[in-house]
């Protein structure tokens, strides 16, 4: 791999990049609120115009919901093609009274841009536009670049998958880059190369056909709440392992390389527990906290209900009880298969006298790129160039449904290079994005385009 | 024991008893509704006037809530004294639209009086007034009789206990009789000689200090719902026995006499399960359904909550979860002690990473009279006289707090002789009371006064 061309942002570059981003942040493109539909269109037009000014073929494309901005600049068919995904819609600003400065009047305080959408995702997405612009100052882009900027990420991206299917040819590429999250820690540049999947079910337990008085029936009537607790408590053993038969079959075990890499990250269990105010960090035996978060499947009850939940006491034996249970999945597990396994298993755990139904609600595929994938390595190289240190290669504990959709429809790797931080408070009042993270994001994007062009 | 004097109701007696009860049922004495306060007073006055007309010293006595009607007719200080308890307040009538005839216009259909309060408890209480009247036709009452008719039973009787304490001398007696429930089955006259007690607690489990995203934290953060289920599932073993250390210490075991007696009752498990639409009747191994209902302690979760309970899926790990748990207790168990035992036990079941709090909410003493108690036998004799068959001696699965209060303050046995049936639908629309049950109640009351006078 040859050397990357050295790049820097002048004061004038920074001022211009800031001014343009502020203009974009002033547009209240709240996708959840139908009254903002004109603002959605303005934000899309703004991005289309900017990309056109950079020599991209750029257009605003209608969907069944808010439009998509698509742009491409194809420098040479022989070179690799990168597709950069981002979104221009933002979360609602409520509660407005908690903002120190208005959410759609970007304000810089102590080196941070305060505005709704600053980190999620206008700031991070716009860094890529400015990254391409930086490279274009010294000539043609070193590879083919496509941008796909959607307007419905904050409302579930429900029109994105159909768009991907309909435009699969146009979107053809070798790698997808997304910057829409947080890196591991302030001083740890991060490449995320995997995400967990999800299987989400709802369990319904029925005892009698009506609520019963616990005096008249207690001791001889089925209690669906007790039964549900009994079922749930058997889903894990005393080592924190999930007991569903076949659950762990065929999963990718954590490699020694990953174990070593993650053991070297700045993580402290006590500090982590302290950060969430928890008395401990229980989990599957034999794995560290980070291993459990990123690379082991889980089972959590997300909600439970049944009987009397009000003040004081009511001596009722409820007719029914229910729970929502989700499992985070890792590569090697298939959400539909896991849903079938738990649907078959739970009824076998039900005690006498109750009927149980397990409804599959929702699933998401786990994803992982091989650590040795040249595009993953290229992303690491770009970050090292900007931060002067080797980045962390992590996986994410959550699921980003569009990532699996990209993988499944376009069938290329997705590399997550996040410029933000948890402390940016995306989705909360006073969302912000550090100016240095924005500027480093621009540089990272420009180096990344170079590095991807050389990757193989 | 000498013979009981033969009694019967003439057509005129029945007509008059019906007409008077109907007048009482027309008064909408709904204790829960403050706008009915004048009706409460009218109902109390009605009963006071009737008792005065029977030669009782009768008065309406103020309490902090609705008034109490107290009356006494002391025939001979050398004879036993019975205190008859009842209540003249009724449940609210809602939902009004489900009544076939208006709730406060008593109507006879197919041999049943339809009206709010017909069985609970105006009809059953008034049977005792007419029972005394029937005996008075042929002379003095054979023992001293006191009536205590309260107006707050349907709202928790909270002023009754202070009234009992303040008037303990006036209320002095040898036995208390209450008819405010349902007998075992239509063709089974019933004496109830025991009730279960209650210990009711609320459990709170805390994990992190805020709700967490199950993607970012799942696998390494404590889940208070899973923990709560784990705790609850350990409160009983696989034989349905409660695992709280010391829980069964010192409890009265079911006697062979009781086992034999109850085994002879017309009860069928399949029919019982069918009546509540349940797939089975799980419970403590080694005991029949009736034994478990009447004479074995229980543990039931009455309510549970935590996390997301709405439609669809939300990938949250809740910060807290809670449950309401009650235990029905049998003689030999003390509610305060049992509450202390479960408060000490539950924290030992909590898995790592969560904090648990167990709050005592509410308790009630179990009660039981010795089966050989002469007043219990006297009640049986009275029923046999009316129905021509030996009655069932049962216990009740529920708790009636006033029964324990009577026992604890007046320190005499309480005998429950119920004239009603479950099918009377107390508390529901179209509450009713069979005319034959009302008339048999009057006869039973009159025989009971004779039998109690002879008891020793």
């Amino acid at each position: 791999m040859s050397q990357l061309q050295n790049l820097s942002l002048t004061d004038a570059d920074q001022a211009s990049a800031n001014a343009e981003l502020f203009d974009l942040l002033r547009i209240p493109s709240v996708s959840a609120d139908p009254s903002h539909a004109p603002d959605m269109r303005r934000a899309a037009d703004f991005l289309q115009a900017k990309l056109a000014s950079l020599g991209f073929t750029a257009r605003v494309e209608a969907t069944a919901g808010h439009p998509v901005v698509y742009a491409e600049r194809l420098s040479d068919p022989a070179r690799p093609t990168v597709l950069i995904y981002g979104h221009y819609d933002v979360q609602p600003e409520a509660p407005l009274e908690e903002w120190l400065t208005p959410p759609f009047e970007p304000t810089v305080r102590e080196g941070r841009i305060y505005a709704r959408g600053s980190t999620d995702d206008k700031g991070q997405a716009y860094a890529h536009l400015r990254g391409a612009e930086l490279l274009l100052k010294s000539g043609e882009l070193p590879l083919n670049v496509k941008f796909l900027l959607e307007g419905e990420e904050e409302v579930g991206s429900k029109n994105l998958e159909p768009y991907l299917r309909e435009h699969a040819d146009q979107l053809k590429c070798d790698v997808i880059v997304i910057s829409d999250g947080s890196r591991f820690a302030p001083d740890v540049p991060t490449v995320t190369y995997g995400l967990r999947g999800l299987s989400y079910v709802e369990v319904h337990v029925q005892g009698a056909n009506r609520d019963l008085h616990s005096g008249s029936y207690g001791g001889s009537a089925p209690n669906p709440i007790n039964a549900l607790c009994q079922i749930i408590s058997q889903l894990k053993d005393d080592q924190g392992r999930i007991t569903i038969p076949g659950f762990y079959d065929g999963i990718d075990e954590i490699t020694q390389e990953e174990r070593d890499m993650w053991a070297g990250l700045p993580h402290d269990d006590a500090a982590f527990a302290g950060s969430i105010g928890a008395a401990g960090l229980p989990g599957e035996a034999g794995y560290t906290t980070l291993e459990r978060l990123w690379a082991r499947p889980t089972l959590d009850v997300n909600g439970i209900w049944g009987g009397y939940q009000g003040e004081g006491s009511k001596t009722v034996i409820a007719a029914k009880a229910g729970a929502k249970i989700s499992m985070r999945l890792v590569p090697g597990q298939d959400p539909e298969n896991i849903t079938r396994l738990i649907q078959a298993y739970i009824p076998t755990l039900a005690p006498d006298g109750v009927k149980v139904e397990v409804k599959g609600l929702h699933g998401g595929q786990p994803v992982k790129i091989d650590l040795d994938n040249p595009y993953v390595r290229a992303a690491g190289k770009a970050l090292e160039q900007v931060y002067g240190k080797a980045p962390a290669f992590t996986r994410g504990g959550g699921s980003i449904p569009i990532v699996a959709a990209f993988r499944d429809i376009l069938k290329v790797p997705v590399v997550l290079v996040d410029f933000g931080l948890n402390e940016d408070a995306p989705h909360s009042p006073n969302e912000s994005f550090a100016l240095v993270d924005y500027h480093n994001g621009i540089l990272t994007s420009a180096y990344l385009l170079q590095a991807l062009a050389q990757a193989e």
Side-chain angles (χ1 to χ4, degrees), chain A residues 84-102:
Chain A
I84 299 169
Y85 164 87
H87 66 91
Y88 65 85
D89 65 323
V90 301
Q91 279 280 313
E93 67 274 29
L96 187 58
E97 64 280 9
E98 292 186 22
W99 286 80
L100 296 181
T101 48

Side-chain angles (χ1 to χ4, degrees), chain A residues 78-282:
Chain A
R79 292 183 177 165
T81 300
V82 60
L83 175 67
I84 299 169
Y85 164 87
H87 66 91
Y88 65 85
D89 65 323
V90 301
Q91 279 280 313
E93 67 274 29
L96 187 58
E97 64 280 9
E98 292 186 22
W99 286 80
L100 296 181
T101 48
F104 298 108
E105 292 176 20
T107 310
V108 174
R109 288 196 302 278
E110 294 169 352
R112 303 186 73 86
I113 308 162
Y114 285 87
R116 172 58 85 225
S118 52
T119 189
D120 180 15
D121 179 47
K122 287 174 173 173
Q124 298 198 53
Y126 209 76
H128 285 290
L129 273 71
R130 293 290 311 201
E133 183 172 5
L134 185 61
L135 281 188
L136 285 164
K137 279 167 77 172
S138 48
E140 184 49 271
L141 296 175
L143 78 175
N144 304 303
V145 177
K146 298 177 177 180
F147 275 95
L148 178 63
L149 306 169
E150 74 154 323
E152 300 191 301
E153 200 274 346
E154 301 295 1
V155 290
S157 299
K158 71 167 188 284
N159 294 303
L160 189 69
E161 199 172 310
Y163 181 89
L164 295 184
R165 287 191 196 286
E166 282 162 33
H167 299 79
D169 270 349
Q170 158 194 308
L171 298 168
K172 211 163 169 304
C173 58
D174 299 290
V175 61
I176 294 160
V177 169
I178 303 179
S179 303
D180 187 24
S182 304
R183 60 191 192 276
F184 182 73
D187 54 351
V188 182
T190 311
V191 180
T192 303
Y193 65 97
L195 293 170
R196 290 193 290 193
L198 185 71
S199 161
Y200 201 115
V201 301
E202 195 167 297
V203 182
H204 294 273
V205 182
Q206 175 97 37
N209 57 11
R210 61 180 186 277
D211 287 359
L212 301 173
H213 190 283
S214 78
S216 311
Y217 291 94
S220 287
N223 184 320
I225 305 178
N226 287 70
L228 179 59
C229 292
Q230 212 173 315
I231 290 168
I232 288 170
S233 70
Q234 293 176 81
L235 294 174
K236 291 193 205 179
D237 68 17
D238 60 4
Q239 298 297 300
R241 276 180 71 88
I242 294 150
T243 57
I244 302 165
F247 185 79
Y248 292 97
D249 287 0
I251 72 169
D252 286 5
E253 291 298 335
I254 304 171
T255 64
Q256 193 57 46
E257 180 185 11
E258 287 176 309
R259 292 202 154 206
D260 294 344
M261 211 166 53
W262 298 342
L265 289 175
H267 168 88
D268 175 71
D269 271 357
F272 185 76
S275 74
I276 56 172
L281 299 174

Side-chain angles (χ1 to χ4, degrees), chain A residues 423-442:
Chain A
E423 66 194 63
D424 295 347
H427 293 212
S428 297
N430 303 305
E431 176 181 347
S432 67
F433 191 33
L435 280 169
V436 65
D437 285 340
Y438 177 43
H439 300 153
N440 280 340
I442 295 169

